[in-house]
Amino acid sequence: MKKTLSEKKSKRMQVDLNNPYPPPPREVFFDLNNTCNAKCFFCSNSKISNRAFLDKALGFRLLKEFFDFGTREVALYATGEPFLRQDLADFVCESKRIGYEYVFISTNGILATPERAKPVLDAGLDSVKFSVNASTKLGYERVHGIDCFDAVIENIKWFHSYRKESGLSYKIYLSAVFNSRIKGEQDDLSRLISPYVDEIDYRHCSNQGGNMLENKLTEKVNSRNLLGSLKEDEYTERCPDVFVRCTVTSQGYLTACVVDYQNYLIIADLNASSIKDVWHSDEYVQFRKRHIKGNLKGIICNNCLNNCEEKSFPLSTKYAVPFGKKER
């Protein structure tokens, strides 16, 4: 049975936040590539300088290792647009062949055309979430920095019609960020999109894991609201993601955060290590203990969770690629 977005978020928040040795991650994000074909004004992606595509052989190896370790849900995206991968369907197919119970993506929808999307859906994708942050062509271009509104809406409609035609049971979701460039468009977006999606996830703007502190200048950014995804009664003093999920970067590194745009939270290099060896490693355990004690000063998690602007340092300078710098 496919989960709703609300059910997934609830499960994510229900985790023991005092155990530095948690069970295997429930879900893992694979950043198949960290490139994006949109330029949303509130997103850090355009500032990335270390562009990369995850090696396919490495990705397949790690999919098997995570599954054998106990992970059962996999997201084939993180900081980049998954449909920029010509072999996206291969990753979905391999994930389902291995036995993953839930395989999902999030996309801006620009390249989610019938030609590209059909093989991905036929391979067994369980859900797709479209990121659309405006209800008009003008608003869309202001937010996304590209004039593709009509194409995206048509692609969403196709996903809806193909589900009926094919008999597949994948879920279709939409996320939309409240922002200053489309004030008052929420109701219009709901009317436009609701007939074609199963659920709409309205979010507040965030500082993107501490990477977009400039969002505070024009947007409402609330402390303790992870990625803007929580309602006020859900605001958290501690980040559950450190204990329940992790991300494989497009370089093959393991990071503790799905929006680690600068590789500031890299725990290990999975080109040379396995998740089994890393999950309870000294580095990861000590990092979790810092979260348990609230000792976040000096790491980017502090700026993310507390919405502050303090100097932050990477866990390892070996992997870090600050904005504007090239990978060594």
Side-chain angles (χ1 to χ4, degrees):
M1 183 177 180
K2 306 298 189 295
K3 301 176 180 68
T4 65
L5 290 176
S6 301
E7 289 170 341
K8 280 184 63 62
K9 183 174 68 174
S10 176
K11 187 175 181 180
R12 168 191 171 203
M13 301 300 290
Q14 294 171 2
V15 60
D16 183 358
L17 301 180
N18 294 298
N19 180 13
Y21 298 91
R26 293 176 187 169
E27 62 182 12
V28 57
F29 285 70
F30 275 68
D31 205 6
L32 300 187
N33 64 279
N34 62 1
T35 300
C36 188
N37 53 340
K39 295 182 179 180
C40 301
F41 79 92
F42 51 73
C43 180
S44 306
N45 185 277
S46 62
K47 298 194 290 185
I48 294 177
S49 55
N50 57 325
R51 301 294 181 185
F53 278 64
L54 179 66
D55 178 76
K56 190 173 185 177
L58 174 64
F60 278 20
R61 189 202 95 197
L62 294 176
L63 281 170
K64 184 66 165 59
E65 288 184 5
F66 270 92
F67 184 84
D68 290 345
F69 189 52
T71 304
R72 290 297 179 267
E73 300 182 9
V74 60
L76 298 176
Y77 75 97
T79 65
E81 166 54 47
F83 275 104
L84 283 170
R85 289 284 305 224
Q86 297 287 343
D87 56 0
L88 177 58
D90 294 345
F91 278 90
V92 175
C93 186
E94 180 67 6
S95 299
K96 300 307 287 188
R97 186 196 68 79
I98 289 171
Y100 280 95
E101 298 168 1
Y102 193 74
V103 182
F104 60 105
I105 62 172
S106 180
T107 173
N108 58 39
I110 296 170
L111 294 177
T113 61
E115 294 74 21
R116 286 178 180 250
K118 185 178 181 298
V120 175
L121 297 173
D122 291 346
L125 190 71
D126 290 293
S127 77
V128 56
K129 181 172 65 177
F130 290 90
S131 176
V132 181
N133 303 293
S135 65
T136 64
K137 285 173 61 69
L138 180 59
Y140 187 92
E141 189 168 4
R142 286 173 175 168
V143 175
H144 292 260
I146 190 171
D147 179 15
C148 291
F149 179 74
D150 291 339
V152 170
I153 299 304
E154 287 305 308
N155 288 340
I156 294 174
K157 290 179 178 179
W158 179 84
F159 269 71
H160 180 263
S161 64
Y162 185 63
R163 185 169 62 179
K164 289 183 177 180
E165 172 192 328
S166 65
L168 296 172
S169 58
Y170 56 85
K171 292 292 186 179
I172 309 170
Y173 302 124
L174 182 134
S175 69
V177 175
F178 293 113
N179 65 83
S180 61
R181 301 191 184 187
I182 56 150
K183 290 180 179 179
E185 290 193 24
Q186 178 182 353
D187 291 341
D188 292 336
L189 185 59
S190 293
R191 283 191 291 268
L192 178 66
I193 295 295
S194 290
Y196 310 103
V197 301
D198 300 301
E199 187 177 349
I200 298 179
D201 178 25
Y202 286 107
R203 297 180 169 219
H204 290 284
C205 202
S206 74
N207 62 34
Q208 286 225 309
N211 292 283
M212 283 292 289
L213 299 175
E214 58 265 42
N215 282 343
K216 295 169 61 176
L217 299 175
T218 60
E219 312 304 310
K220 181 181 180 182
V221 180
N222 297 321
S223 300
R224 299 178 291 112
N225 186 6
L226 293 174
L227 299 183
S229 64
L230 307 179
K231 298 177 182 177
E232 283 193 31
D233 60 352
E234 298 172 326
Y235 285 10
T236 180
E237 296 288 345
R238 233 180 258 176
C239 176
D241 293 3
V242 177
F243 304 86
V244 75
R245 68 183 186 181
C246 55
T247 298
V248 176
T249 74
S250 53
Q251 300 90 7
Y253 306 147
L254 183 77
T255 175
C257 182
V258 70
V259 288
D260 188 11
Y261 289 94
Q262 301 180 79
N263 286 357
Y264 267 35
L265 299 176
I266 301 299
I267 304 296
D269 182 356
L270 293 179
N271 290 277
S273 304
S274 70
I275 182 59
K276 183 178 180 180
D277 295 331
V278 171
W279 188 244
H280 289 161
S281 64
D282 289 342
E283 292 81 3
Y284 223 154
V285 169
Q286 292 306 314
F287 179 69
R288 294 190 190 103
K289 285 182 176 179
R290 292 188 66 173
H291 275 262
I292 291 170
K293 296 176 182 178
N295 178 26
L296 302 181
K297 195 173 183 64
I299 55 176
I300 202 167
C301 304
N302 187 43
N303 290 340
C304 170
L305 197 58
N306 297 312
N307 196 30
C308 57
E309 299 184 44
E310 296 191 355
K311 181 70 174 178
S312 59
F313 303 91
L315 296 183
S316 172
T317 56
K318 179 180 179 180
Y319 305 110
V321 188
F323 294 137
K325 297 294 180 78
K326 294 295 183 181
E327 190 171 19
R328 287 168 286 183

